[in-house]
C-alpha cells in the first residue's frame, strides 16, 4: 500500500525574527506540513530558528534539512534534537547527513575535523543511536537521513524513518529506482523523499549557475525527476507516477516554488 503524500518547504533562516515567522506561517497557510531549514554558517542556525517557528505556528512540523554531522558532536546533536522533540510536542524531526562538500570549509571555520566519508557516516549513526538513548521509552523522535551511495543508503535503511534520495541532478529514473530498491532490500519500509529542484517550464538562470552546465541541461529534459512541470493536474499525476514506480511520497519544495506547487499540495497532501 502506498504511503500518503506529504510536502515540505525548504526555507533558509535569515533576516529579522518577524519576517522569518511570517514566512513560516505562509508555509502552513499554503498547506505544507513541514518547514525544512538548511544547515550552513551563512544563515541563522537552523535549530533555534526552527524552535521559534514551531512555537509561533501551531501544527507546523519542523526539520533541519539536513544537519551536517561534522559541525556538531553526535551527543550534542542528540541532546538538542530530543529537547526540540519534547518541547514542540513531537513536531520536530531530526534531519541529518554526512554533509554536502561545501560544509568542509564550515567545519574548518568552527575548528572541527571533517573526517573521511566512513567517519562522517559513523558520526551520523552515532548521533541517531544517542538520540534513541535520549528518547528512551518516551516518544520516538523521527529521523530523516539524506543518502546517495550504497553505504549511506544501507545505514539509512536501518536507522532512518525517512530517507531522502540525494541523487545527482542528472540522475534518471533508473538510478532512482536502483536507490529505492536498495532501501527496500533491507527489509524495512522507510518513507522515501526527494527534492524538487525546478518547477515549471523555464529553467531559471540561478538554477543554471548553481547546477553547472551538465546538470542544467539535464533539468531541461522533459522526463527528468529533478523538475516538475505542467498544470496542477499534470504535476499531481506525475507525482503519483513517481510514487507508484519509485515509492517517493515526500516532496521537498524550494521556497521559491512554494506558491506554484500549492495547488498540487491541495490535491495530494495526505492522500
Amino acid at each position: 500500500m502506498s504511503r500518503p503524500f506529504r510536502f515540505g518547504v525548504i526555507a533558509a533562516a535569515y533576516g529579522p525574527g518577524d519576517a522569518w515567522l511570517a514566512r513560516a506561517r505562509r508555509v502552513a497557510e499554503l498547506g505544507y506540513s513541514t518547514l525544512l531549514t538548511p544547515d550552513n554558517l551563512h544563515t541563522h542556525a537552523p535549530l533555534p530558528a526552527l524552535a521559534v517557528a514551531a512555537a509561533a505556528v501551531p501544527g507546523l512540523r519542523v526539520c533541519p534539512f539536513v544537519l551536517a554531522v561534522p559541525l556538531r558532536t553526535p551527543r550534542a546533536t542528540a541532546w538538542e534534537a530530543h529537547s526540540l522533540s519534547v518541547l514542540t510536542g513531537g513536531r520536530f524531526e531530526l534531519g541529518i547527513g554526512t554533509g554536502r562538500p561545501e560544509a568542509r570549509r564550515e567545519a574548518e571555520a568552527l575548528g572541527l575535523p571533517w573526517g573521511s566519508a566512513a567517519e562522517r557516516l559513523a558520526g551520523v549513526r552515532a548521533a541517531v543511536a544517542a538520540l534513541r538513548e535520549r528518547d528512551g521509552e518516551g516518544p520516538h523522535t523521527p529521523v530523516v537521513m539524506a543518502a546517495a551511495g550504497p553505504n549511506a543508503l544501507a545505514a539509512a535503511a536501518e536507522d532512518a524513518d525517512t530517507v531522502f534520495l540525494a541523487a545527482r541532478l542528472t540522475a534518471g529514473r533508473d538510478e532512482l529506482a536502483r536507490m529505492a530498491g536498495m532501501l527496500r532490500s533491507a527489509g524495512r519500509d522507510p518513507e522515501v523523499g526527494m527534492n524538487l529542484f525546478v518547477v515549471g517550464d523555464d529553467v531559471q538562470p540561478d538554477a543554471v549557475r548553481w547546477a553547472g552546465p551538465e546538470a542544467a541541461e539535464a533539468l531541461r529534459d522533459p522526463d527528468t525527476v529533478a523538475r516538475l512541470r505542467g498544470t496542477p493536474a499534470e504535476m499531481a499525476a506525475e507525482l503519483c507516477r513517481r510514487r507508484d514506480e519509485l515509492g517517493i511520497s515526500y516532496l521537498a519544495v524550494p521556497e521559491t516554488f512554494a506558491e506554484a506547487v500549492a495547488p498540487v499540495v491541495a490535491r495530494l497532501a495526505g492522500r
Side-chain angles (χ1 to χ4, degrees):
M1 183 176 177
S2 297
R3 285 180 177 270
F5 280 106
R6 69 166 169 151
F7 296 81
V9 171
I10 306 168
Y14 56 81
D18 288 349
W20 169 240
L21 295 182
R23 290 164 59 207
R25 292 188 184 99
R26 187 57 179 158
V27 167
E29 289 168 359
L30 290 172
Y32 293 88
S33 68
T34 313
L35 177 62
L36 305 163
T37 300
D39 181 27
N40 63 69
L41 298 186
H42 308 296
T43 62
H44 297 319
L47 296 181
L50 291 170
V52 298
V57 188
L60 181 67
R61 300 189 68 81
V62 294
C63 177
F65 198 69
V66 295
L67 295 184
V69 76
L71 304 188
R72 302 159 187 83
T73 66
R75 287 200 169 273
T77 298
W79 175 34
E80 295 194 58
H82 174 74
S83 299
L84 278 167
S85 181
V86 172
L87 293 172
T88 61
R91 289 184 287 131
F92 176 81
E93 301 173 30
L94 173 61
I96 191 166
T98 57
R100 67 202 186 287
E102 297 83 356
R104 181 170 196 151
R105 292 192 297 272
E106 296 172 358
E108 292 170 353
L110 293 171
L112 296 169
W114 176 247
S116 66
E119 288 169 336
R120 297 197 309 277
L121 183 56
V124 170
R125 304 199 74 178
V128 175
L131 175 59
R132 294 292 170 247
E133 183 181 323
R134 284 261 178 188
D135 284 344
E137 297 300 317
H140 172 102
T141 303
V143 169
V144 178
M145 287 176 62
N151 292 338
L153 285 165
E158 186 172 335
D159 294 346
D161 302 284
T162 301
V163 182
F164 267 79
L165 302 179
R168 301 170 297 117
L169 284 179
T170 54
R173 291 176 189 269
D174 289 346
E175 183 172 343
L176 283 167
R178 177 187 58 78
M179 295 169 71
M182 291 178 68
L183 290 175
R184 289 192 292 270
S185 68
R188 293 182 68 243
D189 183 30
E191 180 181 43
V192 180
M194 72 170 293
N195 291 22
L196 295 177
F197 289 96
V198 175
V199 176
D201 292 326
D202 297 324
V203 178
Q204 293 80 1
D206 282 349
V208 175
R209 276 196 295 274
W210 58 254
E214 182 186 1
E217 189 60 34
L219 288 173
R220 294 187 175 93
D221 183 338
D223 201 42
T224 180
V225 291
R227 182 178 178 185
L228 192 63
R229 61 193 300 180
T231 65
E234 289 168 338
M235 289 192 281
E238 169 59 19
L239 293 181
C240 288
R241 175 188 172 195
R242 294 180 191 182
R243 182 173 64 177
D244 292 343
E245 294 179 355
L246 305 170
I248 295 168
S249 59
Y250 188 4
L251 287 306
V253 181
E255 188 177 18
T256 305
F257 301 116
E259 301 273 351
V261 180
V264 182
V265 176
R267 288 171 178 263
L268 295 181
R271 300 176 189 173

